[in-house]
Amino acid sequence: PMPIPLVIGADLGTTNVKALAFDPLTEQIVAHASRPLTTQQPQPGYAEQSPEHIWQAFAAVMTEVMAEVNQQ
């Protein structure tokens, strides 16, 4: 079978990392995943997020999306 051309999108926001796979031919979302992010407040008026945690969440959602795509 011919491979299906998909568009992969990711949103790295302040509360979640989300990703999806979109089939532009059918205009349908074929897979999606999301992971929450935490924000630390070390002192009043300050907010910090771990780059490592953001990267791990991104890798997890991409892995999940690709696994879902490969099952189809």
Side-chain angles (χ1 to χ4, degrees):
M2 286 193 55
I4 300 169
L6 297 176
V7 175
I8 305 292
D11 174 13
L12 284 66
T14 56
T15 59
N16 289 288
V17 173
K18 300 174 269 193
L20 61 81
F22 179 78
D23 182 339
L25 301 176
T26 63
E27 300 182 354
Q28 298 292 313
I29 294 172
V30 297
H32 60 89
S34 177
R35 292 288 185 285
L37 293 175
T38 57
T39 301
Q40 307 298 322
Q41 296 181 331
Q43 60 185 352
Y46 285 79
E48 296 177 353
Q49 289 184 307
S50 163
E52 181 63 26
H53 186 237
I54 294 168
W55 174 250
Q56 289 173 353
F58 174 75
V61 296
M62 293 304 292
T63 299
E64 187 174 332
V65 165
M66 293 312 299
E68 194 174 332
V69 165
N70 289 330
Q71 289 178 358
Q72 297 181 19

